[in-house]
Amino acid sequence: METKKKDIRALTKEQLREFFVSQGDKAFRGNQVYEWLWQKSAHSFEGMTNISKTTREMLENNFVINHIKVDQMQRSNDGTIKNAVRLHDDLVVESVLIPTETRTTACVSSQVGCSLDCRFCATARLKRMRNLNPDEIYDQVVAIDNESRLYFDRPLSNIVFMGMGEPLMNYNNVLKAIDMITSSEGLGMSPRRITVSTSGVPKMIKKMADDEVKFKLAVSLHSAIDATRTSIMPFNATFPLSDLRKALEYWYDKTKSRITYEYVVWKGINDTQKDADALVDFCRFAPSKVNLIEYNPIADGEFQQANDKALNLYINTLERHGITVTVRRSRGKDIDAACGQLANKQ
Ligand code: SF4
């Protein structure tokens, strides 16, 4: 009977060292293999040239390396690249490379589908199938880093967890992936270049503060009025704004780290002065930045981007209260790579 081989990248470095000792080899061999698996992103044991043939065969008999495969890459007119990423069990997630003049940002997925139900989001239509493993998150970043070097002649500079899924619902694996991305044994990126964007899970925001994470926090807020927010993000009924606000106060007290709010202004939903005032009231307790994001309608969507007058109303109101505000134009619209559009539509 064939025994199922283990995914070798599920082992920590220490576990890998122990494995080699248990095989009568030196612990140091674990370090060498670990470097191949992460820093050098080896796709096979065969390619580990400083490891003996016998050891490579022994690894082959015990483990697999479950690398992702970029099944399809689409390039937008504005340079944005969307990868359809096939996982070892044939499920597919998407990640996006967003280039600007000065930086390249990777927008990565943390789950296959999503368990939350934001009404404006294409991913919400796919039920959550599973969480991504740390190596599957890491590999999306490596793939985009390679594309950035190939097409833009520079390494990846920033990462946002804003693709498919709610990252704080897959907290442990997201943290492990970020550990490898920031480790000198992985990609060595600064955690200040990484932003985890959540729809607002209060308990997990507090946990992030307790864990003293060094990456940045963004909250997809979209409304600071409970009734409105619940109508577009129904889970707000379970995690109301008062709980979210308390969690953010806790986060700021512990980290002193500025909070970014992602916010779309939709016609007839949150485009009045009352909505803008509520936003100011919600976020002015701590240094904040509001990203007003241009919305990309999804196929059967009922949501429409508000007009410039409504956007200006927000900009003026926020600036009057000293809150930094930026307007983020949509990228990769022609290939459905923009925020809220990721839905494995190929
Ligand atoms: S917006 Fe984010 S949290 Fe909400 S359903 Fe879409 S992927 Fe999930």
Side-chain angles (χ1 to χ4, degrees):
M1 193 180 78
E2 201 189 329
T3 47
K4 203 162 171 282
K5 294 183 195 177
K6 279 197 219 127
D7 175 6
I8 192 166
R9 289 193 300 166
L11 300 186
T12 62
K13 188 173 173 185
E14 210 34 58
Q15 288 168 330
L16 204 51
R17 284 165 59 87
E18 282 163 16
F19 170 77
F20 277 100
V21 173
S22 76
Q23 298 291 308
D25 202 335
K26 296 196 174 60
F28 171 70
R29 199 75 60 224
N31 299 16
Q32 287 179 308
V33 171
Y34 197 75
E35 188 177 316
W36 277 108
L37 292 173
W38 294 102
Q39 207 168 44
K40 298 180 183 163
S41 279
H43 279 61
S44 72
F45 296 113
E46 210 187 334
M48 300 182 178
T49 46
N50 59 352
I51 309 289
S52 76
K53 189 158 185 278
T54 324
T55 306
R56 281 185 268 146
E57 280 169 2
M58 181 273 291
L59 289 172
E60 192 78 55
N61 291 333
N62 285 282
F63 297 106
V64 286
I65 308 176
N66 282 335
H67 266 290
I68 61 160
K69 187 166 162 276
V70 177
D71 243 10
Q72 195 191 25
M73 191 197 87
Q74 288 172 274
R75 292 190 76 183
S76 156
N77 298 331
D78 64 18
T80 302
I81 293 176
K82 181 170 83 170
N83 291 332
V85 168
R86 190 166 295 277
L87 309 171
H88 68 92
D89 52 3
D90 265 348
L91 292 172
V92 175
V93 292
E94 292 175 339
S95 37
V96 183
L97 176 161
I98 307 146
T100 64
E101 291 275 300
T102 51
R103 53 166 75 174
T104 309
T105 301
C107 174
V108 296
S109 294
S110 55
Q111 299 181 307
V112 188
C114 189
S115 51
L116 299 187
D117 44 10
C118 306
R119 284 182 44 224
F120 50 83
C121 171
T123 307
R125 319 254 155 117
L126 309 167
K127 67 178 192 331
R128 189 193 76 86
M129 282 168 261
R130 71 170 172 86
N131 287 337
L132 292 190
N133 296 325
D135 48 294
E136 292 168 328
I137 298 169
Y138 182 85
D139 284 355
Q140 292 176 67
V141 174
V142 171
I144 291 184
D145 185 38
N146 290 339
E147 288 166 351
S148 179
R149 288 168 199 269
L150 182 65
Y151 297 109
F152 301 95
D153 214 14
R154 62 189 185 207
L156 175 68
S157 59
N158 296 74
I159 301 171
V160 292
F161 280 80
M162 240 185 162
M164 293 177 162
E166 164 52 61
L168 299 193
M169 297 282 199
N170 184 18
Y171 183 75
N172 289 341
N173 288 353
V174 165
L175 241 61
K176 279 187 199 155
I178 292 177
D179 275 351
M180 281 317 297
I181 292 165
T182 53
S183 159
S184 58
E185 293 177 317
L187 298 177
M189 280 183 77
S190 162
R192 302 305 298 163
R193 294 182 171 272
I194 300 174
T195 302
V196 169
S197 176
T198 175
S199 48
V201 189
K203 191 172 87 187
M204 300 314 292
I205 292 173
K206 285 187 178 166
K207 175 140 179 56
M208 276 168 59
D210 287 338
D211 288 345
E212 296 178 6
V213 300
K214 298 284 179 286
F215 50 79
K216 296 188 193 163
L217 170 66
V219 178
S220 293
L221 193 65
H222 306 310
S223 175
I225 299 173
D226 266 319
T228 308
R229 193 165 195 258
T230 301
S231 74
I232 54 179
M233 302 168 87
F235 66 86
N236 186 71
T238 318
F239 307 127
L241 286 162
S242 55
D243 290 0
L244 176 57
R245 167 70 183 260
K246 275 189 218 130
L248 293 171
E249 284 172 6
Y250 187 83
W251 159 269
Y252 183 70
D253 276 350
K254 285 230 160 189
T255 65
K256 295 288 172 262
S257 173
R258 179 171 84 168
I259 301 161
T260 298
Y261 296 93
E262 312 288 355
Y263 201 102
V264 179
V265 187
W266 287 286
K267 187 174 159 191
I269 292 179
N270 57 354
D271 57 357
T272 68
Q273 185 66 52
K274 189 174 152 220
D275 296 291
D277 290 341
L279 173 59
V280 168
D281 277 350
F282 187 85
C283 65
R284 70 172 158 189
F285 71 93
S288 305
K289 180 175 142 195
V290 173
N291 281 335
L292 295 176
I293 306 173
E294 191 187 358
Y295 184 65
N296 307 284
I298 50 180
D300 51 349
E302 55 189 280
F303 290 82
Q304 283 171 42
Q305 167 72 41
N307 59 22
D308 284 352
K309 194 169 157 233
L311 275 191
N312 287 333
L313 179 150
Y314 267 90
I315 294 168
N316 294 336
T317 307
L318 289 162
E319 284 183 342
R320 219 173 32 245
H321 290 88
I323 298 166
T324 310
V325 53
T326 59
V327 178
R328 230 175 45 213
R329 295 286 163 207
S330 181
R331 304 291 306 270
K333 265 198 255 193
D334 52 330
I335 55 168
D336 286 340
C339 282
Q341 286 190 317
L342 300 184
N344 291 344
K345 195 171 56 169
Q346 290 169 43

